[in-house]
Structures are given as structure tokens and as C-alpha cells.
Amino acid sequence: MKFKIAAVLATIALGLPAHADGDADKGEKEFKKCKACHAIGSPDATIVKGGATGPNLYGVTDHAAGSVEGFRYSDLLVAANAQGIEWTEENFVGYVQDPTEWLKEATGENGRGKMTYKVRKEDDAKDLYAYLSSLTE
Ligand code: HEC
């Protein structure tokens, strides 16, 4: 509930459409590629069982980069967090297609991100964003 209100307020504040332009159903299938490293778990339930190499992605589309408590992020993601970078659709879509390069450009820092996987197609990235945002609507 807290997430939902925050998302609605953010949407009003930024004047952006409430729905992402990807297809959430396709994104759910696409998420199979992320499961090896990422689980999705809300405070009350496990939505997708997955690995722990990467942070829990529940609510990721509503929060600041690098803000899952207890996860040890790379210096680049810590820098992104300190700079107030958030996972808007645009940022998310750029990041998942080339995590390290995107973080370097966005933060102006040097280093290596810990996520080695790259999503090949921009449309797949948009579908993933739609799927992940649908979980907290
Ligand atoms: C090989 C393991 C691996 C795979 C596969 C993987 N990730 Fe990641 N992901 C990570 C790691 C590790 C991090 C933390 C990166 C860092 O600290 O630089 C991360 C971070 C992220 C973040 C930032 C989260 C935050 O809390 O700021 C997002 C978003 C993300 N991944 C999305 C995805 C999506 C979507 C997929 C599937 C297309 C995917 N990842 C596949 C390992 C992976």
C-alpha cells in the first residue's frame, strides 16, 4: 500500500502516464532470464523464487537505485543511490541493456557494476519494466 501511494504521487508529480508502454505478460516470461540471480518477494509473499546474486526486485520500479537493504551493491550502484537516481522506465531500460556502461555514464564515476547480464532488445526491457511495475500496482 505504501508503495502504491508513493507510485501514484510520483506519477502525478512527474506528469507521466501511470502505465509503462511494455507488455507485462511478455515481461513475466522474459523474467525467466533474471531468475538465476533475482528473486521477487513482497513483504508478505514470495512472487518468484530466484537466486540471491542480485537484489530482490520487488518494488524496484518505485524506488531509488541501490536501495534494497542488506544487499552489497557495487560502488557504481552505491554512487547512483547517493545521486538520487531512480528506476524510472527510461533508466531501467538503459541499465538492463548494458549495466556497467549505463552506470558509468549516469554517475560520471568509473568502476564495474556487478550485473553481468545484458538484455538484448529494448522492447524486452520495456516488457520487463511493465511486469515489475504491475506487481506493485
Ligand atoms: C548473472 C546474474 C544476474 C542476472 C542474470 C540478472 N541480474 Fe540484475 N543484478 C545482478 C546483480 C549482481 C545486481 C547488483 C548490481 C550492482 O551492485 O552493480 C543486479 C542489479 C539489478 C538491478 C538494480 C536493482 C537495484 O536494487 O537497484 C535491476 C533493475 C536488475 N538487476 C534487473 C535485472 C533484470 C530485469 C534481469 C533479467 C533480464 C537481470 N537483472 C538479470 C545480477 C544479475
Side-chain angles (χ1 to χ4, degrees):
M1 197 57 187
K2 215 165 72 193
F3 279 125
K4 193 173 170 185
I5 293 168
V8 169
L9 289 178
T11 303
I12 294 167
L14 298 170
L16 294 171
H19 292 276
D21 38 291
D23 179 331
D25 291 334
K26 284 193 197 155
E28 182 172 4
K29 293 196 189 92
E30 200 59 31
F31 195 80
K32 292 203 180 89
K33 297 174 185 159
C34 321
K35 276 206 303 205
C37 300
H38 292 281
I40 306 178
S42 77
D44 348 279
T46 301
I47 298 169
V48 175
K49 268 193 201 156
T53 308
N56 175 7
L57 291 181
Y58 182 76
V60 70
T61 56
D62 299 329
H63 70 57
S67 61
V68 171
E69 240 173 272
F71 186 80
R72 295 196 48 178
Y73 289 101
S74 64
D75 291 347
L76 280 177
L77 252 177
V78 170
N81 180 279
Q83 294 179 16
I85 293 175
E86 299 197 2
W87 291 128
T88 59
E89 180 176 22
E90 195 189 349
N91 287 345
F92 177 95
V93 166
Y95 173 75
V96 298
Q97 290 183 92
D98 198 349
T100 293
E101 280 312 310
W102 188 87
L103 283 172
K104 285 207 280 197
E105 209 159 288
T107 60
E109 305 272 335
N110 257 315
R112 280 184 79 168
K114 286 190 181 174
M115 175 161 149
T116 49
Y117 186 83
K118 291 180 186 174
V119 174
R120 295 237 181 87
K121 293 192 211 132
E122 186 173 338
D123 281 350
D124 291 347
K126 286 187 176 166
D127 293 343
L128 282 160
Y129 189 86
Y131 168 60
L132 289 167
S133 18
S134 75
L135 300 175
T136 47
E137 260 165 22

